[in-house]
Amino acid sequence: MLQYDERQKLTGIIAGLYDFTDGGPRGRRVFLQQSRLNRFIPGMDLSGSNQMVAADLLSRIEDFGHLPEEPTKHALGALLSYVRTLGDVKEPDKAFVAGLIVKYSLVADPLFVDQLRKDYGIQEAVVRTPEPANVAPPAVRASDSEPEFEVEVNDKPGFEAIINSEDNFLDISWLFGAIYTAQAVCRIEMPEDDPLGTGFLIGPDLLLTNHHVLKNENYVKQATLRFDYRTDSLGIVSDRGRVFKLQPDFYYWSPPEALDYALVRVQGTPLKQDDVDKESSVMDLVLKGKHRGYLVLQPDYVKKHDRVNIIQHPGGNPMKAVLTQNYVVDDMANSRLHYVADTMPGSSGSPVLNRKWEVVGLHHTGKPYPPEAAPIDPKTTRKTRVNEGIPIRDIMENFRQKDLERFLPRD
C-alpha cells in the first residue's frame, strides 16, 4: 500500500517515539495496546532495535485490513490515528501521518477525514478506496477459553419476534446506571497489561469473576485489577485507570461445570466513599460523584423476555456497554441463564444486570444460535449470539451453603 519513501519515513517516526526509544519492550507493548493493535503482540520480538520493531510492525499491519472490532478503521489507520495524538510527535510528522490517513482511506469516517483536510491543508486526492476485508478474530488468551454449553431455546419463532420488537425508548436518567455500574467493573490482567477477563465489585473489597478466569491460587497471586480503563469522547485511551492487586489468601470458587465463579478480596477499596446515602438514586450518586462502593446482587428469578445489560471488557479492550437487543431467551433453569447480547473473549466475568442495574447473573460464555450444525430456516440467514450466564440466585445459595454470606455487605 505505502510507497517505499513513505514507509521509510513512517518507520523513522515510529522508531523515534518515546515508547520505542526509552520505554523498552514494556513501553512498546503498551503502545500497541493503546493503538488497539493487541492482536499483533503475539509473535513479535519487542526487544529488538527501534527501527527493526517499527519496521516489523508496519509489515504486519499494512496488509491486514480493517479491524473487526473497529470496522471503520484499517489496522494502519488505527496506528496512525494514535500516533497523531502523541505529544512527542512533531507537527510536520503529524501532518505527514494525517496525509497518509486521507490518501489511503485508512479511516472510514467522512467527518474525521474532512477535519484532517482542514487542519492540515491536505489537498491530495484519495488513491485507495478499499472494501472492508475479511479478517481473523482477535487473538484470544488461552486462559480465557470459554466453557462449551448447549443452547435450548424452545420457541424459535418467538425468539426471533423478541429480537425484532425491542422497545428502544428509554428514560435518559436510566443511562446514569451504566456510568454508575462501570465504576465497579474492572479488567483482570495477568501479568499486568495482559488482559485475562472481567470482574466486578460485590463488596467494598470483594470481587466476583469466573473460575475459568482466575483458575487457582497462583492466578490470584499474579493477577492485577485495572479499574476505569476506558476511552475518552474521541475514542482514545487517555487514562490507563487505577491498578489494584488481590489478597492471595482469600479465594473461594466453583468450577466451570458447576457455577464457574471465583470470589476474591482486593487489596484496598477501589470505590471507597464516605457519607453515602444508600437510599439515593443511581442518578443522584453519579451527579454527586459518589458510589456505594459495589454493585447490588439481586437473587431474582429471571424469566424469558426480561431485559439484561452487560458492562464488559470485550477482547480485553477498554470498557464497553451492551444496552440494546438484550433479551433473555428462556426462563432460567439448571443454574444457567441464556440471553442475547454481544460479548467477546475477555468478557468472561462481567456482570449481567437487570433494568434497575442490579446484578442478576455472572456472564461466563457464549456461542452463535442456532449452532452451525443445526438446520436454519432459509428465511432467516442471520445468526444471533446467545450467551450463557450463571444466575446470581444460584451463586448466593452456594454462598449460603459455604458460609460465604458473612463476607458480603449488609444493606
Side-chain angles (χ1 to χ4, degrees):
M1 183 196 308
L2 298 177
Q3 297 179 10
Y4 177 79
D5 58 336
E6 292 172 335
R7 187 178 297 105
Q8 291 297 102
K9 182 173 181 178
L10 183 56
T11 300
I13 292 173
I14 296 173
L17 296 174
Y18 170 82
D19 286 332
F20 274 74
T21 56
D22 297 332
R26 180 187 175 92
R28 295 166 185 176
R29 177 183 290 271
V30 171
F31 173 84
L32 288 169
Q33 292 171 335
Q34 295 279 54
S35 53
R36 311 293 182 82
L37 300 174
N38 308 50
R39 71 182 66 244
F40 298 100
I41 294 176
M44 284 192 67
D45 180 6
L46 298 178
S47 63
S49 69
N50 302 343
Q51 202 77 12
M52 286 180 59
V53 176
D56 181 28
L57 174 60
L58 287 179
S59 70
R60 289 169 181 264
I61 69 173
E62 191 172 348
D63 296 326
F64 182 81
H66 286 247
L67 297 173
E69 65 274 16
E70 291 189 89
T72 62
K73 287 185 180 179
H74 187 283
L76 182 57
L79 174 70
L80 299 186
S81 296
Y82 177 63
V83 168
R84 197 178 64 86
T85 67
L86 298 177
D88 55 336
V89 179
K90 299 177 181 178
E91 284 303 316
D93 290 337
K94 289 184 178 181
F96 170 73
V97 165
L100 294 181
I101 293 174
V102 173
K103 179 179 179 181
Y104 295 108
S105 302
L106 299 176
V107 178
D109 182 339
L111 295 178
F112 175 75
V113 171
D114 287 346
Q115 191 63 48
L116 289 183
R117 285 186 177 278
K118 180 180 178 181
D119 290 345
Y120 296 100
I122 301 172
Q123 303 295 327
E124 191 169 7
V126 172
V127 300
R128 174 182 175 274
T129 309
E131 293 295 327
N134 292 322
V135 296
V140 178
R141 279 285 304 274
S143 53
D144 191 32
S145 57
E146 297 183 333
E148 290 293 324
F149 69 97
E150 295 298 323
V151 181
E152 295 182 4
V153 180
N154 297 325
D155 181 11
K156 181 181 175 182
F159 176 76
E160 292 297 336
I162 296 167
I163 299 302
N164 293 322
S165 66
E166 178 168 357
D167 179 2
N168 283 318
F169 291 105
L170 301 170
D171 291 328
I172 292 299
S173 59
W174 181 81
L175 297 176
F176 282 89
I179 300 172
Y180 177 85
T181 300
Q183 297 175 67
V185 179
C186 68
R187 187 174 82 168
I188 300 175
E189 305 169 353
M190 194 187 80
E192 189 171 332
D193 289 320
D194 199 349
L196 187 63
T198 303
F200 57 97
L201 294 170
I202 62 171
D205 62 351
L206 288 178
L207 188 92
L208 187 65
T209 186
N210 289 140
H211 177 261
H212 82 261
V213 172
L214 294 178
K215 299 179 179 180
N216 53 47
E217 289 86 349
N218 191 46
Y219 276 68
V220 176
K221 292 176 182 177
Q222 298 184 53
T224 295
L225 310 180
R226 189 177 300 277
F227 287 85
D228 302 327
Y229 180 51
R230 54 181 181 259
T231 58
D232 61 17
S233 59
L234 299 177
I236 303 298
V237 180
S238 57
D239 186 352
R240 294 281 295 154
R242 298 174 298 119
V243 169
F244 292 82
K245 300 295 287 185
L246 295 171
Q247 295 187 23
D249 58 349
F250 190 97
Y251 178 57
Y252 298 92
W253 54 275
S254 176
E257 62 273 15
L259 300 180
D260 195 18
Y261 74 74
L263 179 66
V264 291
R265 176 158 280 162
V266 185
Q267 294 183 19
T269 49
L271 295 178
K272 185 178 181 180
Q273 294 284 355
D274 297 321
D275 302 323
V276 173
D277 180 4
K278 294 183 179 180
E279 298 301 319
S280 297
S281 68
V282 167
M283 183 172 69
D284 287 340
L285 290 173
V286 172
L287 291 174
K288 294 175 182 177
K290 292 184 176 292
H291 200 289
R292 68 190 302 153
Y294 53 89
L295 302 182
V296 174
L297 300 181
Q298 183 56 256
D300 283 346
Y301 180 76
V302 184
K303 306 182 300 299
K304 183 178 181 179
H305 299 185
D306 283 352
R307 291 195 191 189
V308 291
N309 311 300
I310 302 178
I311 307 291
Q312 55 184 297
H313 283 283
N317 290 314
M319 191 179 302
K320 308 291 183 186
V322 178
L323 305 177
T324 61
Q325 303 291 17
N326 297 344
Y327 281 95
V328 175
V329 302
D330 221 336
D331 293 354
M332 69 183 230
N334 302 318
S335 297
R336 292 296 185 265
L337 177 64
H338 293 133
Y339 42 87
V340 179
D342 290 329
T343 66
M344 293 171 60
S347 302
S348 294
S350 301
V352 180
L353 303 128
N354 64 15
R355 294 297 299 276
K356 295 188 290 185
W357 298 101
E358 300 162 331
V359 184
V360 295
L362 171 66
H363 172 70
H364 89 131
T365 186
K367 68 194 302 185
Y369 170 80
E372 294 292 339
I376 301 174
D377 185 341
K379 297 179 182 178
T380 305
T381 58
R382 177 181 55 197
K383 289 207 172 183
T384 303
R385 178 161 291 277
V386 172
N387 284 281
E388 182 173 272
I390 311 298
I392 285 298
R393 184 172 184 167
D394 292 85
I395 291 176
M396 292 190 71
E397 176 59 32
N398 190 261
F399 282 178
R400 281 190 284 272
Q401 295 171 7
K402 295 181 177 179
D403 194 27
L404 300 180
E405 269 194 321
R406 57 197 167 99
F407 298 120
L408 299 178
R410 299 184 181 277
D411 295 321

